[in-house]
Amino acid sequence: MSRLIVTGGNSLEGTITVSGAKNAVLPIIAASLLSPEPLRIDDAPHLLDVDVMCEVISSFGSQVKRVGSQLFINTSEITEIQAPHELVSKMRASIVTMGPLLARTGHVRISHPGGCAIGSRPINWHLKGLEALGAEVRMEHGFLDVSATVLKGTRIYLDFPSVGATENIMMAAAGAEGTTLIENAAQEPEIVDLANFLNQMGGKVRGAGTSVIHIEGVREFHGANHTVIPDRIEAGSYLLMAAAAGGDVLVQNVIADHNKPLLAKMSEAGIDFREEDDGIRVRGNGHYHAVDIKTQVHPGFPTDLQAPFLALLCTAQGTGMVTETVFENRFMHVDELKRMGADIKIEGRSAIVQGVERLTGAPVKATDLRAGAALILSALTAEGETEISGVEHIDRGYEDIENKLNRIGANIRRMA
C-alpha cells in the first residue's frame, strides 16, 4: 500500500485548482443509465471512486471511455441488472444506480454497499421512497431485489434529508408515470447538479436545492453534455490547509456560495481571505483563534469538512469545540492527531480541542477519506516528517493531491 511522506514547515505560495466534485459526478454517472443515447461528462476527476462507478455501470452493459477529464458514456444496451458484489462493496455511492436502473428496466439487484467506516448510514430511506413509487423490495441471498411493473409518481416525505435517498428517488421518479413530490429533500449543491443533468437529458425536475423537489416523469431521455460543478469539499480542504500552513494561496475553480458555512467560520477564526474573480485567496500567517463548529445537513457546516477543520483547531489559539451531529463514528482521526501532539478530548459526540504551539511529525494512518485530508493538513504544519498510511482512502476523493500541493510549496513524497 502507498504512503505519503510529508515534511512540514513550508509555507504555501501560488495557485491550486479544484477538480470536479466527487459527490456530484458519481450520481451523474449513475443517471446516465436512464438514456439510451450517448452522453459526455466534463470535469470528471481522476479518482478511485469514479473508476469504480464507471466499472459498476459497465457491468450493466454500458460503454465508458475516458479522455482526459471527459467521460464518454453509451448506455444504449442494458444487458445486466446485477452489479458484481466486489464492485458494490468498494463504494457506498453505487447504491444510487438502483433508481435509474429501476426506471430504465423495471428490475435491479444490488448488494449492500461499502465505503468509509464513519458510522451507520441506513438505506431504508432509499427503499421506502422506491416502494412509494410502486417498487417491490425483497432481500434474497444478501442481495436487494427491487422490481416494478410500472413506477408511478407520488408524494414522498423523507424522515431525514438523505443525499443518496434524494438522488435515488429523484432519478427513479424522473422516469416514472406522473408527478412526484419529494418533501424534506436534501438541498446540497450536488443535488442541483444532478437535477441539471437530468433536465439536460430531457427530464423535468424543479426545486432542486430546496426542501421540496417537483419531478414530472418522462418516457424518454436523450443524449447530453454536462460539466460537473467544482468540489466544494476539496476546495474547503485546500482553503484550510493554506490557512494552517501560512503563505498566499489562490484556490481556483471555487463556487463561494457552496462554501458559505466554512467561510463564515474562517472569518470568525480571524483567517485572512477574500473572494476574487477567479477564486478565493487565503493569506495565512499561522495565527488564528479557536472557534466552535457543529456539523449539520446542508446548508449547515458540512460533516465532510469536520476533520480538516478539527485539524486546523489543533494549533489555534484557545479552545474550540467540534460537535458531530451527522455521523456517530467520525472522530477516528482524533487518536492519530494526538500522536502528533494534539490536545483533544472526546465527550460524547463532541471533541474539545485545546490549541498547542506546534505539532510534531509521526507515523499516522488515514482511517477514512476526510480523516486523510486532516492528517495532511496537520503534517504540513508539523515539525519534522509525518508518514501517512491508508492513502487509498485519500485517493478516493482528492485528485493528484500531493502534486497539487507540491506545486505550491509543500514537500510530499508518495512511497510504494
Side-chain angles (χ1 to χ4, degrees):
M1 288 293 188
S2 297
R3 296 163 294 144
L4 293 180
I5 311 298
V6 184
T7 302
N10 292 4
S11 63
L12 304 179
E13 306 277 347
T15 299
I16 191 166
T17 302
V18 174
S19 301
K22 174 183 87 81
N23 290 337
V25 74
L26 297 179
I28 285 171
I29 294 171
S32 68
L33 293 167
L34 287 166
S35 174
E37 296 184 6
L39 302 153
R40 191 186 81 207
I41 301 171
D42 295 340
D43 283 359
H46 291 77
L47 299 171
L48 290 179
D49 276 10
V50 175
D51 293 342
V52 172
M53 184 61 87
C54 289
E55 289 185 67
V56 170
I57 69 163
S58 295
S59 72
F60 297 135
S62 301
Q63 297 177 340
V64 184
K65 180 182 178 181
R66 178 185 277 279
V67 179
S69 62
Q70 294 180 319
L71 293 178
F72 295 87
I73 302 176
N74 187 324
T75 59
S76 57
E77 292 187 17
I78 300 295
T79 58
E80 276 289 338
I81 59 163
Q82 177 175 310
H85 171 72
E86 59 270 20
L87 289 179
V88 177
S89 62
K90 290 181 181 179
M91 185 184 64
R92 179 177 181 79
S94 55
I95 198 77
V96 297
T97 58
M98 282 199 306
L101 198 59
L102 184 64
R104 175 81 180 269
T105 70
H107 197 185
V108 59
R109 282 173 55 87
I110 194 164
S111 61
H112 280 279
C116 287
I118 57 176
S120 175
R121 294 187 284 180
I123 62 170
N124 57 303
W125 299 308
H126 300 244
L127 301 179
K128 285 174 65 176
L130 296 178
E131 285 178 324
L133 290 169
E136 181 182 354
V137 179
R138 299 183 301 275
M139 175 67 80
E140 295 180 349
H141 308 295
F143 280 82
L144 289 166
D145 189 283
V146 186
S147 61
T149 303
V150 62
L151 294 175
K152 292 190 176 182
T154 187
R155 185 172 182 171
I156 298 169
Y157 182 88
L158 292 176
D159 296 332
F160 178 82
S162 160
V163 173
T166 300
E167 292 167 342
N168 239 335
I169 296 166
M170 188 162 63
M171 288 186 278
E177 291 183 0
T179 299
T180 299
L181 281 180
I182 307 175
E183 297 178 303
N184 197 30
Q187 302 177 47
E188 276 75 358
E190 294 79 13
I191 299 289
V192 178
D193 206 30
L194 174 60
N196 289 339
F197 180 63
L198 290 172
N199 290 342
Q200 287 172 340
M201 289 195 298
K204 296 181 179 180
V205 181
R206 293 186 286 111
T210 74
S211 62
V212 180
I213 301 176
H214 181 282
I215 306 143
E216 185 179 339
V218 300
R219 290 182 178 275
E220 296 180 355
F221 294 88
H222 52 69
N225 299 334
H226 181 77
T227 300
V228 179
I229 59 172
D231 195 311
R232 62 192 171 101
I233 305 303
E234 183 189 8
S237 300
Y238 292 145
L239 291 170
L240 293 171
M241 290 176 190
D248 186 340
V249 176
L250 177 64
V251 182
Q252 287 186 321
N253 196 31
V254 180
I255 299 175
D257 278 355
H258 292 178
N259 276 293
K260 278 184 177 179
L262 171 66
L263 296 177
K265 285 298 177 181
M266 289 173 59
S267 179
E268 186 182 337
I271 294 168
D272 181 14
F273 70 90
R274 72 167 184 263
E275 296 178 31
E276 299 185 356
D277 291 341
D278 52 353
I280 300 175
R281 183 176 298 277
V282 179
R283 290 191 173 95
N285 57 14
H287 299 294
Y288 44 88
H289 51 262
V291 296
D292 298 337
I293 66 168
K294 183 177 183 179
T295 64
Q296 301 280 359
V297 296
H298 193 80
F301 193 94
T303 182
D304 280 349
L305 285 176
Q306 177 259 102
F309 203 98
L310 190 151
L312 177 89
L313 292 177
C314 290
T315 52
Q317 297 170 2
T319 303
M321 178 179 289
V322 176
T323 303
E324 174 61 56
T325 72
V326 180
F327 294 119
E328 74 276 9
N329 195 27
R330 207 160 199 181
F331 283 136
M332 291 190 290
H333 48 287
V334 166
D335 285 341
E336 303 303 304
L337 292 171
K338 289 168 73 171
R339 289 170 60 82
M340 300 177 70
D343 183 352
I344 309 169
K345 295 182 178 66
I346 301 294
E347 294 185 0
R349 298 190 74 158
S350 295
I352 301 168
V353 188
Q354 174 65 55
V356 299
E357 185 176 348
R358 69 174 59 87
L359 299 174
T360 55
V364 292
K365 182 178 181 179
T367 52
D368 62 73
L369 169 55
R370 307 308 173 185
L375 295 177
I376 291 176
L377 184 152
S378 293
L380 291 171
T381 68
E383 186 178 86
E385 191 173 88
T386 301
E387 179 180 309
I388 304 173
S389 59
V391 177
E392 65 276 8
H393 293 296
I394 300 171
D395 290 341
R396 288 185 49 234
Y398 292 91
E399 180 179 39
D400 199 26
I401 188 167
E402 69 268 27
N403 289 324
K404 285 187 178 184
L405 289 169
N406 284 340
R407 284 193 286 268
I408 60 171
N411 185 345
I412 306 175
R413 307 188 315 274
R414 182 178 289 251
M415 307 290 287

PDB file of all heavy atoms in Angstrom, residues 52 55-56 59 82-92 94 110-115 143:
ATOM      1  N   VAL A  52     -14.537   3.193  -9.951  1.00  0.00           N
ATOM      2  CA  VAL A  52     -15.428   2.115  -9.513  1.00  0.00           C
ATOM      3  C   VAL A  52     -16.830   2.319 -10.067  1.00  0.00           C
ATOM      4  O   VAL A  52     -17.458   1.373 -10.560  1.00  0.00           O
ATOM      5  CB  VAL A  52     -15.458   2.021  -7.969  1.00  0.00           C
ATOM      6  CG1 VAL A  52     -16.540   1.043  -7.517  1.00  0.00           C
ATOM      7  CG2 VAL A  52     -14.101   1.574  -7.435  1.00  0.00           C
ATOM      8  N   GLU A  55     -16.967   1.280 -13.549  1.00  0.00           N
ATOM      9  CA  GLU A  55     -16.986  -0.182 -13.643  1.00  0.00           C
ATOM     10  C   GLU A  55     -18.377  -0.727 -13.330  1.00  0.00           C
ATOM     11  O   GLU A  55     -18.831  -1.696 -13.944  1.00  0.00           O
ATOM     12  CB  GLU A  55     -15.959  -0.785 -12.689  1.00  0.00           C
ATOM     13  CG  GLU A  55     -14.511  -0.589 -13.088  1.00  0.00           C
ATOM     14  CD  GLU A  55     -13.574  -1.317 -12.140  1.00  0.00           C
ATOM     15  OE1 GLU A  55     -13.594  -2.561 -12.125  1.00  0.00           O
ATOM     16  OE2 GLU A  55     -12.849  -0.641 -11.392  1.00  0.00           O
ATOM     17  N   VAL A  56     -19.045  -0.118 -12.352  1.00  0.00           N
ATOM     18  CA  VAL A  56     -20.384  -0.577 -11.977  1.00  0.00           C
ATOM     19  C   VAL A  56     -21.348  -0.435 -13.152  1.00  0.00           C
ATOM     20  O   VAL A  56     -22.060  -1.379 -13.505  1.00  0.00           O
ATOM     21  CB  VAL A  56     -20.913   0.207 -10.751  1.00  0.00           C
ATOM     22  CG1 VAL A  56     -22.399  -0.107 -10.520  1.00  0.00           C
ATOM     23  CG2 VAL A  56     -20.119  -0.156  -9.497  1.00  0.00           C
ATOM     24  N   SER A  59     -20.704  -2.864 -15.856  1.00  0.00           N
ATOM     25  CA  SER A  59     -21.177  -4.220 -15.578  1.00  0.00           C
ATOM     26  C   SER A  59     -22.631  -4.408 -16.003  1.00  0.00           C
ATOM     27  O   SER A  59     -23.080  -5.538 -16.199  1.00  0.00           O
ATOM     28  CB  SER A  59     -21.023  -4.538 -14.085  1.00  0.00           C
ATOM     29  OG  SER A  59     -21.968  -3.824 -13.303  1.00  0.00           O
ATOM     30  N   GLN A  82     -27.655  -6.759 -12.406  1.00  0.00           N
ATOM     31  CA  GLN A  82     -26.990  -7.002 -11.124  1.00  0.00           C
ATOM     32  C   GLN A  82     -25.515  -6.655 -11.232  1.00  0.00           C
ATOM     33  O   GLN A  82     -24.804  -7.192 -12.080  1.00  0.00           O
ATOM     34  CB  GLN A  82     -27.147  -8.475 -10.702  1.00  0.00           C
ATOM     35  CG  GLN A  82     -26.422  -8.823  -9.411  1.00  0.00           C
ATOM     36  CD  GLN A  82     -26.692 -10.251  -8.968  1.00  0.00           C
ATOM     37  OE1 GLN A  82     -27.847 -10.683  -8.891  1.00  0.00           O
ATOM     38  NE2 GLN A  82     -25.630 -10.999  -8.679  1.00  0.00           N
ATOM     39  N   ALA A  83     -25.057  -5.759 -10.372  1.00  0.00           N
ATOM     40  CA  ALA A  83     -23.643  -5.398 -10.349  1.00  0.00           C
ATOM     41  C   ALA A  83     -22.878  -6.406  -9.494  1.00  0.00           C
ATOM     42  O   ALA A  83     -23.401  -6.897  -8.491  1.00  0.00           O
ATOM     43  CB  ALA A  83     -23.455  -3.994  -9.772  1.00  0.00           C
ATOM     44  N   PRO A  84     -21.640  -6.723  -9.874  1.00  0.00           N
ATOM     45  CA  PRO A  84     -20.841  -7.656  -9.079  1.00  0.00           C
ATOM     46  C   PRO A  84     -20.647  -7.151  -7.650  1.00  0.00           C
ATOM     47  O   PRO A  84     -20.395  -5.971  -7.415  1.00  0.00           O
ATOM     48  CB  PRO A  84     -19.503  -7.695  -9.830  1.00  0.00           C
ATOM     49  CG  PRO A  84     -19.830  -7.279 -11.223  1.00  0.00           C
ATOM     50  CD  PRO A  84     -20.939  -6.283 -11.092  1.00  0.00           C
ATOM     51  N   HIS A  85     -20.770  -8.046  -6.699  1.00  0.00           N
ATOM     52  CA  HIS A  85     -20.649  -7.676  -5.283  1.00  0.00           C
ATOM     53  C   HIS A  85     -19.307  -7.029  -4.984  1.00  0.00           C
ATOM     54  O   HIS A  85     -19.229  -6.084  -4.187  1.00  0.00           O
ATOM     55  CB  HIS A  85     -20.830  -8.923  -4.405  1.00  0.00           C
ATOM     56  CG  HIS A  85     -20.506  -8.692  -2.962  1.00  0.00           C
ATOM     57  ND1 HIS A  85     -21.332  -7.951  -2.135  1.00  0.00           N
ATOM     58  CD2 HIS A  85     -19.426  -9.070  -2.208  1.00  0.00           C
ATOM     59  CE1 HIS A  85     -20.777  -7.899  -0.928  1.00  0.00           C
ATOM     60  NE2 HIS A  85     -19.643  -8.560  -0.947  1.00  0.00           N
ATOM     61  N   GLU A  86     -18.232  -7.503  -5.617  1.00  0.00           N
ATOM     62  CA  GLU A  86     -16.907  -6.963  -5.313  1.00  0.00           C
ATOM     63  C   GLU A  86     -16.785  -5.490  -5.680  1.00  0.00           C
ATOM     64  O   GLU A  86     -15.995  -4.750  -5.079  1.00  0.00           O
ATOM     65  CB  GLU A  86     -15.801  -7.767  -6.005  1.00  0.00           C
ATOM     66  CG  GLU A  86     -15.874  -7.836  -7.519  1.00  0.00           C
ATOM     67  CD  GLU A  86     -16.686  -9.012  -8.030  1.00  0.00           C
ATOM     68  OE1 GLU A  86     -17.507  -9.553  -7.248  1.00  0.00           O
ATOM     69  OE2 GLU A  86     -16.500  -9.382  -9.202  1.00  0.00           O
ATOM     70  N   LEU A  87     -17.566  -5.046  -6.670  1.00  0.00           N
ATOM     71  CA  LEU A  87     -17.558  -3.625  -7.023  1.00  0.00           C
ATOM     72  C   LEU A  87     -18.412  -2.820  -6.053  1.00  0.00           C
ATOM     73  O   LEU A  87     -18.002  -1.780  -5.554  1.00  0.00           O
ATOM     74  CB  LEU A  87     -18.075  -3.421  -8.453  1.00  0.00           C
ATOM     75  CG  LEU A  87     -17.180  -3.893  -9.592  1.00  0.00           C
ATOM     76  CD1 LEU A  87     -17.861  -3.642 -10.931  1.00  0.00           C
ATOM     77  CD2 LEU A  87     -15.836  -3.181  -9.556  1.00  0.00           C
ATOM     78  N   VAL A  88     -19.626  -3.295  -5.797  1.00  0.00           N
ATOM     79  CA  VAL A  88     -20.554  -2.567  -4.939  1.00  0.00           C
ATOM     80  C   VAL A  88     -20.000  -2.429  -3.533  1.00  0.00           C
ATOM     81  O   VAL A  88     -20.165  -1.392  -2.883  1.00  0.00           O
ATOM     82  CB  VAL A  88     -21.925  -3.278  -4.922  1.00  0.00           C
ATOM     83  CG1 VAL A  88     -22.889  -2.575  -3.971  1.00  0.00           C
ATOM     84  CG2 VAL A  88     -22.509  -3.316  -6.325  1.00  0.00           C
ATOM     85  N   SER A  89     -19.302  -3.462  -3.052  1.00  0.00           N
ATOM     86  CA  SER A  89     -18.780  -3.430  -1.685  1.00  0.00           C
ATOM     87  C   SER A  89     -17.660  -2.412  -1.513  1.00  0.00           C
ATOM     88  O   SER A  89     -17.327  -2.031  -0.396  1.00  0.00           O
ATOM     89  CB  SER A  89     -18.281  -4.822  -1.273  1.00  0.00           C
ATOM     90  OG  SER A  89     -17.208  -5.234  -2.105  1.00  0.00           O
ATOM     91  N   LYS A  90     -17.067  -1.962  -2.619  1.00  0.00           N
ATOM     92  CA  LYS A  90     -15.987  -0.978  -2.537  1.00  0.00           C
ATOM     93  C   LYS A  90     -16.483   0.431  -2.255  1.00  0.00           C
ATOM     94  O   LYS A  90     -15.736   1.259  -1.738  1.00  0.00           O
ATOM     95  CB  LYS A  90     -15.196  -0.949  -3.855  1.00  0.00           C
ATOM     96  CG  LYS A  90     -14.346  -2.168  -4.135  1.00  0.00           C
ATOM     97  CD  LYS A  90     -13.622  -1.978  -5.461  1.00  0.00           C
ATOM     98  CE  LYS A  90     -12.769  -3.184  -5.815  1.00  0.00           C
ATOM     99  NZ  LYS A  90     -12.078  -2.987  -7.125  1.00  0.00           N
ATOM    100  N   MET A  91     -17.734   0.717  -2.624  1.00  0.00           N
ATOM    101  CA  MET A  91     -18.166   2.107  -2.603  1.00  0.00           C
ATOM    102  C   MET A  91     -19.661   2.224  -2.358  1.00  0.00           C
ATOM    103  O   MET A  91     -20.473   1.687  -3.101  1.00  0.00           O
ATOM    104  CB  MET A  91     -17.810   2.781  -3.933  1.00  0.00           C
ATOM    105  CG  MET A  91     -18.108   4.255  -3.984  1.00  0.00           C
ATOM    106  SD  MET A  91     -17.753   4.919  -5.608  1.00  0.00           S
ATOM    107  CE  MET A  91     -18.944   4.027  -6.609  1.00  0.00           C
ATOM    108  N   ARG A  92     -19.995   2.967  -1.309  1.00  0.00           N
ATOM    109  CA  ARG A  92     -21.390   3.136  -0.933  1.00  0.00           C
ATOM    110  C   ARG A  92     -22.224   3.803  -2.027  1.00  0.00           C
ATOM    111  O   ARG A  92     -23.393   3.476  -2.216  1.00  0.00           O
ATOM    112  CB  ARG A  92     -21.464   3.957   0.349  1.00  0.00           C
ATOM    113  CG  ARG A  92     -22.880   4.190   0.795  1.00  0.00           C
ATOM    114  CD  ARG A  92     -22.995   4.932   2.097  1.00  0.00           C
ATOM    115  NE  ARG A  92     -24.408   5.069   2.426  1.00  0.00           N
ATOM    116  CZ  ARG A  92     -25.153   4.119   2.944  1.00  0.00           C
ATOM    117  NH1 ARG A  92     -24.613   2.954   3.227  1.00  0.00           N
ATOM    118  NH2 ARG A  92     -26.437   4.304   3.195  1.00  0.00           N
ATOM    119  N   SER A  94     -22.480   3.411  -4.982  1.00  0.00           N
ATOM    120  CA  SER A  94     -23.024   2.527  -6.015  1.00  0.00           C
ATOM    121  C   SER A  94     -24.506   2.245  -5.802  1.00  0.00           C
ATOM    122  O   SER A  94     -25.202   1.838  -6.731  1.00  0.00           O
ATOM    123  CB  SER A  94     -22.240   1.215  -6.046  1.00  0.00           C
ATOM    124  OG  SER A  94     -22.221   0.618  -4.754  1.00  0.00           O
ATOM    125  N   ILE A 110     -28.913  -5.572  -6.145  1.00  0.00           N
ATOM    126  CA  ILE A 110     -27.701  -4.940  -5.655  1.00  0.00           C
ATOM    127  C   ILE A 110     -27.450  -5.359  -4.214  1.00  0.00           C
ATOM    128  O   ILE A 110     -28.385  -5.538  -3.424  1.00  0.00           O
ATOM    129  CB  ILE A 110     -27.801  -3.395  -5.766  1.00  0.00           C
ATOM    130  CG1 ILE A 110     -26.446  -2.738  -5.594  1.00  0.00           C
ATOM    131  CG2 ILE A 110     -28.834  -2.833  -4.795  1.00  0.00           C
ATOM    132  CD1 ILE A 110     -26.413  -1.301  -6.071  1.00  0.00           C
ATOM    133  N   SER A 111     -26.182  -5.576  -3.873  1.00  0.00           N
ATOM    134  CA  SER A 111     -25.835  -5.925  -2.501  1.00  0.00           C
ATOM    135  C   SER A 111     -25.675  -4.653  -1.688  1.00  0.00           C
ATOM    136  O   SER A 111     -25.614  -3.549  -2.225  1.00  0.00           O
ATOM    137  CB  SER A 111     -24.541  -6.741  -2.470  1.00  0.00           C
ATOM    138  OG  SER A 111     -23.474  -5.990  -2.998  1.00  0.00           O
ATOM    139  N   HIS A 112     -25.610  -4.819  -0.365  1.00  0.00           N
ATOM    140  CA  HIS A 112     -25.405  -3.649   0.479  1.00  0.00           C
ATOM    141  C   HIS A 112     -24.054  -3.025   0.155  1.00  0.00           C
ATOM    142  O   HIS A 112     -23.052  -3.726  -0.004  1.00  0.00           O
ATOM    143  CB  HIS A 112     -25.469  -4.035   1.956  1.00  0.00           C
ATOM    144  CG  HIS A 112     -26.864  -4.173   2.455  1.00  0.00           C
ATOM    145  ND1 HIS A 112     -27.629  -3.104   2.834  1.00  0.00           N
ATOM    146  CD2 HIS A 112     -27.654  -5.274   2.617  1.00  0.00           C
ATOM    147  CE1 HIS A 112     -28.821  -3.525   3.233  1.00  0.00           C
ATOM    148  NE2 HIS A 112     -28.867  -4.839   3.102  1.00  0.00           N
ATOM    149  N   PRO A 113     -24.003  -1.685   0.047  1.00  0.00           N
ATOM    150  CA  PRO A 113     -22.778  -1.015  -0.400  1.00  0.00           C
ATOM    151  C   PRO A 113     -21.730  -0.886   0.681  1.00  0.00           C
ATOM    152  O   PRO A 113     -21.996  -1.056   1.864  1.00  0.00           O
ATOM    153  CB  PRO A 113     -23.291   0.360  -0.822  1.00  0.00           C
ATOM    154  CG  PRO A 113     -24.456   0.602   0.078  1.00  0.00           C
ATOM    155  CD  PRO A 113     -25.102  -0.749   0.268  1.00  0.00           C
ATOM    156  N   GLY A 114     -20.492  -0.532   0.239  1.00  0.00           N
ATOM    157  CA  GLY A 114     -19.386  -0.311   1.167  1.00  0.00           C
ATOM    158  C   GLY A 114     -19.154   1.166   1.376  1.00  0.00           C
ATOM    159  O   GLY A 114     -20.087   1.960   1.435  1.00  0.00           O
ATOM    160  N   GLY A 115     -17.855   1.570   1.463  1.00  0.00           N
ATOM    161  CA  GLY A 115     -17.499   2.970   1.675  1.00  0.00           C
ATOM    162  C   GLY A 115     -16.732   3.163   2.954  1.00  0.00           C
ATOM    163  O   GLY A 115     -16.295   2.211   3.586  1.00  0.00           O
ATOM    164  N   PHE A 143     -28.692 -10.018  -1.344  1.00  0.00           N
ATOM    165  CA  PHE A 143     -28.935  -9.004  -2.372  1.00  0.00           C
ATOM    166  C   PHE A 143     -30.312  -8.369  -2.169  1.00  0.00           C
ATOM    167  O   PHE A 143     -31.263  -9.031  -1.748  1.00  0.00           O
ATOM    168  CB  PHE A 143     -28.883  -9.608  -3.780  1.00  0.00           C
ATOM    169  CG  PHE A 143     -27.502  -9.801  -4.309  1.00  0.00           C
ATOM    170  CD1 PHE A 143     -26.752 -10.913  -3.957  1.00  0.00           C
ATOM    171  CD2 PHE A 143     -26.928  -8.852  -5.160  1.00  0.00           C
ATOM    172  CE1 PHE A 143     -25.470 -11.090  -4.444  1.00  0.00           C
ATOM    173  CE2 PHE A 143     -25.656  -9.022  -5.648  1.00  0.00           C
ATOM    174  CZ  PHE A 143     -24.923 -10.141  -5.297  1.00  0.00           C
TER     175      PHE A 143
END
